[in-house]
Coordinates of all heavy atoms in Angstrom, one line a residue:
S90 N 113.2 110.1 99.7 CA 112.7 109.4 100.9 C 112.7 110.3 102.0 O 113.0 109.9 103.2 CB 113.7 108.2 101.1 OG 115.0 108.7 101.2
H91 N 112.3 111.5 101.8 CA 112.2 112.5 102.9 C 110.9 112.3 103.6 O 109.8 112.2 103.0 CB 112.2 113.9 102.4 CG 113.6 114.3 101.9 ND1 114.2 113.7 100.8 CD2 114.4 115.3 102.3 CE1 115.4 114.3 100.6 NE2 115.5 115.2 101.5
I92 N 110.9 112.1 105.0 CA 109.7 111.8 105.7 C 109.6 112.7 107.0 O 110.6 113.2 107.4 CB 109.7 110.3 106.2 CG1 110.9 110.0 107.1 CG2 109.7 109.4 105.0 CD1 110.8 108.6 107.7
R93 N 108.4 112.8 107.4 CA 108.1 113.4 108.7 C 107.4 112.4 109.6 O 106.5 111.6 109.1 CB 107.2 114.6 108.5 CG 107.8 115.8 107.8 CD 106.9 117.0 107.7 NE 107.5 118.2 107.2 CZ 107.8 118.4 105.9 NH1 107.4 117.5 105.0 NH2 108.4 119.5 105.5
I94 N 107.7 112.3 110.8 CA 107.2 111.2 111.7 C 106.4 111.9 112.8 O 106.9 112.7 113.6 CB 108.3 110.4 112.3 CG1 109.1 109.8 111.2 CG2 107.7 109.3 113.2 CD1 110.4 109.0 111.7
K95 N 105.1 111.5 112.9 CA 104.2 112.1 113.9 C 103.6 111.0 114.8 O 103.2 110.0 114.3 CB 103.1 112.9 113.2 CG 102.1 113.6 114.2 CD 101.1 114.4 113.4 CE 100.1 113.5 112.6 NZ 99.0 114.3 112.0
G96 N 103.5 111.3 116.1 CA 102.8 110.4 116.9 C 101.3 110.4 116.7 O 100.7 111.5 116.7
K97 N 100.7 109.3 116.5 CA 99.2 109.3 116.2 C 98.4 109.7 117.4 O 97.4 110.4 117.3 CB 98.8 107.8 115.8 CG 97.3 107.7 115.4 CD 96.9 106.3 115.0 CE 95.5 106.3 114.6 NZ 95.1 104.9 114.2
E98 N 98.9 109.4 118.6 CA 98.2 109.8 119.8 C 98.5 111.2 120.3 O 97.6 112.0 120.6 CB 98.5 108.8 120.9 CG 97.8 109.1 122.3 CD 96.3 108.8 122.2 OE1 95.8 108.1 121.3 OE2 95.6 109.4 123.1
S99 N 99.8 111.5 120.3 CA 100.2 112.8 120.8 C 100.2 113.9 119.8 O 100.1 115.1 120.1 CB 101.7 112.7 121.4 OG 102.6 112.5 120.3
E100 N 100.2 113.6 118.5 CA 100.2 114.5 117.4 C 101.4 115.5 117.4 O 101.3 116.6 117.0 CB 98.9 115.3 117.4 CG 97.6 114.4 117.1 CD 96.4 115.2 116.8 OE1 96.4 116.5 117.1 OE2 95.4 114.7 116.4
H101 N 102.5 115.0 117.9 CA 103.8 115.7 117.9 C 104.7 115.0 117.0 O 104.7 113.8 116.8 CB 104.4 115.7 119.3 CG 103.8 116.8 120.2 ND1 102.5 116.9 120.5 CD2 104.4 117.9 120.8 CE1 102.3 117.9 121.3 NE2 103.4 118.6 121.5
Y102 N 105.6 115.8 116.3 CA 106.5 115.3 115.4 C 107.9 115.1 116.0 O 108.3 115.9 116.9 CB 106.7 116.3 114.2 CG 105.5 116.4 113.2 CD1 104.4 117.1 113.5 CD2 105.5 115.6 112.1 CE1 103.3 117.2 112.7 CE2 104.4 115.7 111.2 CZ 103.3 116.5 111.5 OH 102.3 116.5 110.6
I103 N 108.6 114.2 115.5 CA 110.0 114.0 115.9 C 110.9 115.0 115.2 O 110.9 115.1 113.9 CB 110.5 112.6 115.6 CG1 109.7 111.5 116.3 CG2 112.0 112.5 115.9 CD1 110.2 110.1 116.0
C104 N 111.6 115.8 115.9 CA 112.4 116.9 115.3 C 113.8 116.9 116.0 O 114.0 116.4 117.1 CB 111.8 118.3 115.5 SG 110.1 118.4 114.8
M105 N 114.8 117.5 115.3 CA 116.1 117.6 115.8 C 116.6 119.0 115.7 O 116.5 119.6 114.7 CB 117.1 116.7 115.0 CG 118.5 116.8 115.5 SD 119.7 115.8 114.5 CE 119.1 114.1 114.8
N106 N 116.9 119.6 116.9 CA 117.3 121.0 116.9 C 118.7 121.2 116.6 O 119.5 120.3 116.3 CB 116.9 121.7 118.3 CG 117.7 121.1 119.4 OD1 118.8 120.5 119.3 ND2 117.2 121.2 120.6
E107 N 119.2 122.5 116.6 CA 120.6 122.8 116.2 C 121.6 122.2 117.1 O 122.8 122.1 116.7 CB 120.7 124.3 116.1 CG 120.7 125.1 117.5 CD 119.3 125.3 117.9 OE1 118.3 124.9 117.2 OE2 119.1 126.0 119.0
K108 N 121.2 121.8 118.3 CA 122.2 121.1 119.2 C 122.2 119.6 119.0 O 122.9 118.9 119.8 CB 121.9 121.5 120.6 CG 122.0 123.0 120.9 CD 121.7 123.3 122.4 CE 121.8 124.8 122.7 NZ 121.5 125.1 124.1
G109 N 121.4 119.1 118.1 CA 121.3 117.7 117.9 C 120.4 117.0 118.9 O 120.3 115.7 118.9
K110 N 119.6 117.7 119.6 CA 118.7 117.1 120.6 C 117.4 116.7 119.9 O 116.8 117.5 119.1 CB 118.4 118.1 121.7 CG 117.6 117.5 122.9 CD 117.4 118.5 124.0 CE 116.6 118.0 125.1 NZ 116.4 118.9 126.2
I111 N 116.9 115.5 120.3 CA 115.6 115.1 119.7 C 114.5 115.6 120.6 O 114.4 115.3 121.8 CB 115.6 113.5 119.7 CG1 116.7 113.0 118.8 CG2 114.3 113.0 119.2 CD1 116.7 113.4 117.4
V112 N 113.5 116.3 120.0 CA 112.4 116.8 120.7 C 111.1 116.6 119.9 O 111.1 116.4 118.7 CB 112.6 118.4 120.9 CG1 113.8 118.6 121.8 CG2 112.8 119.1 119.6
G113 N 110.0 116.7 120.6 CA 108.7 116.5 120.0 C 108.0 117.9 119.8 O 108.0 118.7 120.7
R114 N 107.5 118.2 118.6 CA 106.9 119.5 118.3 C 105.6 119.3 117.6 O 105.4 118.4 116.8 CB 107.8 120.3 117.4 CG 109.1 120.8 118.1 CD 110.0 121.6 117.2 NE 111.2 122.0 117.9 CZ 112.2 122.6 117.3 NH1 112.2 122.8 116.0 NH2 113.3 123.0 118.0
P115 N 104.6 120.2 117.9 CA 103.3 120.0 117.3 C 103.3 120.4 115.8 O 102.4 120.0 115.1 CB 102.4 120.9 118.2 CG 103.4 121.9 118.7 CD 104.6 121.2 119.0
D116 N 104.2 121.2 115.4 CA 104.3 121.7 114.0 C 105.5 121.0 113.4 O 106.6 121.3 113.8 CB 104.4 123.2 114.0 CG 104.3 123.7 112.5 OD1 104.2 122.9 111.6 OD2 104.3 125.0 112.4
G117 N 105.3 120.2 112.4 CA 106.4 119.5 111.7 C 106.8 120.0 110.4 O 107.4 119.3 109.6
R118 N 106.4 121.2 110.1 CA 106.7 121.8 108.7 C 108.1 122.2 108.5 O 108.6 122.4 107.4 CB 105.7 122.9 108.4 CG 104.3 122.5 108.1 CD 103.3 123.6 107.9 NE 103.2 124.4 109.1 CZ 102.4 125.5 109.2 NH1 101.7 125.9 108.1 NH2 102.3 126.2 110.3
K119 N 108.8 122.5 109.7 CA 110.2 123.0 109.5 C 111.1 121.9 109.1 O 110.9 120.7 109.3 CB 110.6 123.5 110.9 CG 109.9 124.8 111.3 CD 110.5 125.4 112.6 CE 109.8 126.6 113.0 NZ 110.3 127.2 114.2
Q120 N 112.2 122.3 108.5 CA 113.2 121.3 108.0 C 113.8 120.5 109.1 O 114.3 119.4 108.8 CB 114.3 122.1 107.2 CG 115.3 121.2 106.4 CD 114.6 120.7 105.1 OE1 113.5 120.9 104.9 NE2 115.4 120.0 104.3
E121 N 113.8 121.0 110.3 CA 114.3 120.2 111.5 C 113.5 119.0 111.7 O 114.0 118.1 112.4 CB 114.4 121.1 112.7 CG 115.3 122.3 112.6 CD 115.3 123.1 113.9 OE1 114.4 123.0 114.7 OE2 116.2 123.9 114.1
C122 N 112.3 118.9 111.2 CA 111.5 117.7 111.5 C 111.4 116.8 110.3 O 110.6 115.9 110.2 CB 110.1 118.2 111.8 SG 110.0 119.4 113.1
V123 N 112.3 117.0 109.3 CA 112.4 116.1 108.2 C 113.6 115.2 108.3 O 114.7 115.6 108.6 CB 112.5 116.9 106.9 CG1 112.6 116.0 105.6 CG2 111.3 117.9 106.7
F124 N 113.4 113.9 108.0 CA 114.5 112.9 108.0 C 114.5 112.2 106.7 O 113.5 112.1 106.0 CB 114.3 111.9 109.2 CG 114.4 112.5 110.5 CD1 113.3 113.1 111.2 CD2 115.6 112.5 111.2 CE1 113.4 113.7 112.4 CE2 115.7 113.1 112.5 CZ 114.6 113.6 113.1
V125 N 115.7 111.7 106.4 CA 115.9 110.9 105.2 C 116.1 109.4 105.5 O 117.0 109.1 106.3 CB 117.1 111.5 104.4 CG1 117.2 110.7 103.1 CG2 116.9 112.9 104.1
E126 N 115.4 108.6 104.9 CA 115.5 107.1 105.1 C 116.8 106.6 104.4 O 117.0 106.8 103.2 CB 114.3 106.4 104.7 CG 113.0 106.6 105.5 CD 111.9 105.8 105.0 OE1 111.6 105.9 103.8 OE2 111.3 105.1 105.8

Side-chain angles (χ1 to χ4, degrees):
S90 54
H91 290 63
I92 63 174
R93 291 179 172 84
I94 304 173
K95 180 178 68 173
K97 185 178 180 181
E98 181 70 20
S99 65
E100 296 189 347
H101 277 60
Y102 288 84
I103 298 179
C104 304
M105 182 183 292
N106 63 22
E107 67 278 2
K108 296 181 180 180
K110 186 177 180 180
I111 301 299
V112 294
R114 293 178 178 170
D116 186 357
R118 288 177 293 181
K119 293 184 178 181
Q120 191 74 356
E121 294 180 344
C122 306
V123 179
F124 292 87
V125 181
E126 292 181 306

